[in-house]
Structures are given as C-alpha cells and as structure tokens.
Amino acid sequence: MNKKSQHKVRLEWIDVLRAFAILLVVYGHRANTQFFSAFLNPVKMPLFFALSGYLFRFREGGDMAFFKKTFISLIIPWLFLGLVPLLLSIPIMGFSHAFDSSIDLFTGKLQWFMPCFILAQILFYYVAKLTKNHLSVMIACVIVISALGYFLKQKHILSIFMINLAMMVQFYFLIGFLYKRYESKLHNVLLRLGALLLLCYIIIGIIFYPYSAMDVHNARFLSLPIGTLMTTIGLIALFMLASCIQKYPRPLISVGKNSLVIYMLDRYALIPFSKIYQFHAPHPIVLTLFMGLIYLVYTSVVNIFIAKILNKYIPWATGNRG
C-alpha cells in the first residue's frame, strides 16, 4: 500500500472512531443505564481526547500556527454552532434566556465538552512543547497534572471553563500520543493484540461490574483504578482494531467527520422528537433502549443533513471537516 493510500485509510479509521464516540454520546444521553456506564463510558468521552493526542504534532510556525489551527478548526465552529441557535431562539425564549445560555456555553455549564477540549488541547501542547525531548518527563508531568485535575474536580476548584477537567483528561491525550509513537512497532500484531485487549476489556468489565462505571464529566469513578485500566485497555484496543479495517461504510465516515455538528445541535434535534417520547418518563428499560436507537438514527440523519449544507456553503462553520 502506497503512502497516499495509507493516509486515506488512516483518516477513515480516525473518522470512524469519532463516529463511534459521538454515537455513544448521543445514545448514552437518552438511554443511559448502569450497564452502559460500566462497559461503554470508559471509552466514550476518553476516545475524543485520545484521538487528539494521536493526531498531535508540532507544526511549522510554532505557537502561532497551533493557535491559528485551533481557532479555525475548533473555536469558530464551536461559537457558531453554539451561539447562532441561541440567537434564533430569542423571539421564542426571550433575550434573557439567550444571554444566560451564552454565558453557560462559554463557561462549560452548557455542553461542557468543547471548552474542556479546547483548553485541554492548549495545555497538552505546552506540556509536549516544554518536555518534547524528554518522554519520561512528559509522562510524569501528564500524570501529575491529571491527578491534580482529578483532585481539583472533587473539591470543585477551577471548575469555570472546565479547567480542572482539562487537566484531568491529559492522561487520555497521553494514551493517544504514546500509541502513535509506538504504532509502527506493533504493525504486525495489531489485529491479534487488539482482539486480545478487547477480550480483556470485556472480561475485566464482567468481573468487576459495576465498578468500572465512570463519568468523565463529573469525574465520578466507582473505582478509579478499574475505570482507568478499562479506559487504557479499551482505547488501545479500539485504535488497533479500527486501523486494521480497510473499508468502512460512507455514512459512518460522514458521521465522524461531522461529529462536532452532531454534538452541538443534538439538543435542538431532540425538541420535536420529545413531543413523541419523553426519555425521562418512567418507561420500561427495553422501550427506552429501543427509542434511544430510533432517536440515534433520527438525530444523525437530521444533523448530517444540516452539516452537508453548512459544509457546502459556509465550511468554516464546521471547521471544514465535512
């Protein structure tokens, strides 16, 4: 396989993992159960951070190039997709609601992931920059920062703009970063080792159920060691297995490329659907799980349609990823 083909396949499996993560996020929000929390939460949100760590590299132009890319690919789309719907809601909800929600958007109270992700990327950039010639020092710094972030989150210190969480998730960035560094050495065993790690992930989840349950947003771990072990094994297994598959369905790749649009607009897609079904009502669990799947398909179709329009006419609004 030539270098151009390798690059194309690599982009596809990364987009597929993004799709996997955002589909888990959407489904988990609507049909969350203890089983879901124990077996899927260990990789659901950490996967986004680990993918960013995998893709991390220093660019020509130094700090300016890094901040320019961050501004264009993350900050502008985040603000556009977050603020425009709020502005459009003013005639219905009033200016006060739009203003308060805008403040919540910036601080992370509303849709916490994006301010956390942006700040976490900046923090990881400077950690990597200051320690790039000393891998062991970098690993030690990331572990200390992550542990400190976890402590601060438990004490509700530096919660504004998700600063404490941005510190805590540095560990997930590190997993992706280290996997990229040693990926070539694992080339011949990716499929077998990935399958073995996935099996270990399932076995650990079964043995210690429900103590692998976790929630990154609230830094809640029934068992921090087990949750961390599940995340590490699960992320590496997903990276290995996803990179071995040569062909993926185009709709799945499209979901991955437009995961930001789906994340930001999912709450608005829920509005008409909620007229039919209330997820928080006392329904049988089987019905809730089934309706969660129906909603997952519905919101994906709606938001991909919107993403395609944005990508065609104002691609900067999505970071030009679609």
Side-chain angles (χ1 to χ4, degrees), residues 3-103:
K3 291 184 177 180
K4 184 176 180 181
S5 297
Q6 286 181 329
H7 182 65
K8 181 180 179 181
V9 170
R10 175 163 295 171
L11 286 177
E12 286 188 350
W13 73 258
I14 289 174
D15 284 330
V16 166
L17 285 184
R18 284 200 187 103
F20 178 69
I22 193 60
L23 292 176
L24 287 183
V25 168
V26 172
Y27 187 73
H29 282 168
R30 311 302 167 216
N32 195 17
T33 64
Q34 189 174 61
F35 179 88
F36 187 98
S37 179
F39 282 95
L40 296 176
N41 275 12
V43 296
K44 184 180 70 176
M45 298 310 299
L47 185 53
F48 284 114
F49 300 112
L51 284 171
S52 186
Y54 178 90
L55 294 171
F56 175 84
R57 65 185 178 91
F58 289 105
R59 298 174 176 272
E60 292 184 10
D63 293 359
M64 185 61 68
F66 169 75
F67 280 105
K68 180 179 180 180
K69 181 179 184 299
T70 301
F71 187 75
I72 292 174
S73 64
L74 287 177
I75 297 178
I76 289 179
W78 167 51
L79 294 180
F80 178 86
L81 295 170
L83 293 177
V84 169
L86 294 178
L87 293 175
L88 295 176
S89 73
I90 290 178
I92 301 174
M93 304 298 295
F95 177 81
S96 178
H97 172 269
F99 179 80
D100 292 342
S101 297
S102 298
I103 299 299

Side-chain angles (χ1 to χ4, degrees), residues 61-189:
D63 293 359
M64 185 61 68
F66 169 75
F67 280 105
K68 180 179 180 180
K69 181 179 184 299
T70 301
F71 187 75
I72 292 174
S73 64
L74 287 177
I75 297 178
I76 289 179
W78 167 51
L79 294 180
F80 178 86
L81 295 170
L83 293 177
V84 169
L86 294 178
L87 293 175
L88 295 176
S89 73
I90 290 178
I92 301 174
M93 304 298 295
F95 177 81
S96 178
H97 172 269
F99 179 80
D100 292 342
S101 297
S102 298
I103 299 299
D104 290 342
L105 180 75
F106 283 108
T107 61
K109 187 176 180 180
L110 176 67
Q111 294 177 303
W112 68 275
F113 173 76
M114 283 307 295
C116 173
F117 185 67
I118 292 168
L119 186 58
Q121 284 223 105
I122 295 172
L123 179 57
F124 188 78
Y125 170 80
Y126 279 106
V127 170
K129 179 180 179 179
L130 294 173
T131 63
K132 64 178 181 179
N133 294 322
H134 302 88
L135 183 60
S136 59
V137 176
M138 177 186 179
I139 294 173
C141 287
V142 167
I143 292 175
V144 170
I145 292 171
S146 298
L148 179 59
Y150 175 76
F151 172 79
L152 293 175
K153 179 64 177 177
Q154 301 305 308
K155 300 297 182 181
H156 305 288
I157 301 172
L158 296 180
S159 294
I160 189 170
F161 301 117
M162 304 289 109
I163 295 174
N164 45 24
L165 270 182
M167 296 171 63
M168 190 188 82
V169 301
Q170 293 300 298
F171 179 73
Y172 307 140
F173 276 83
L174 181 65
I175 293 174
F177 180 82
L178 292 178
Y179 178 83
K180 172 69 173 181
R181 187 180 181 93
Y182 297 106
E183 179 182 28
S184 60
K185 298 180 179 179
L186 302 170
H187 177 71
N188 295 324
V189 296

Side-chain angles (χ1 to χ4, degrees), residues 22-23 26-27 30 251 255 262 266 269 273 279 289-305:
I22 193 60
L23 292 176
V26 172
Y27 187 73
R30 311 302 167 216
V255 169
I262 294 174
D266 173 62
F273 190 92
F279 282 99
L289 294 174
F290 175 75
M291 293 303 293
L293 288 174
I294 298 297
Y295 176 76
L296 185 63
V297 174
Y298 157 77
T299 189
S300 297
V301 171
V302 169
N303 286 314
I304 289 299
F305 176 75

Side-chain angles (χ1 to χ4, degrees), residues 36 57 67 147 158 193 199 204 233 247 256 275 277 313:
F36 187 98
R57 65 185 178 91
F67 280 105
L158 296 180
L193 185 56
L199 180 61
I204 293 172
I233 293 175
K247 188 69 174 179
K275 303 297 182 181
Y277 185 85
Y313 295 104

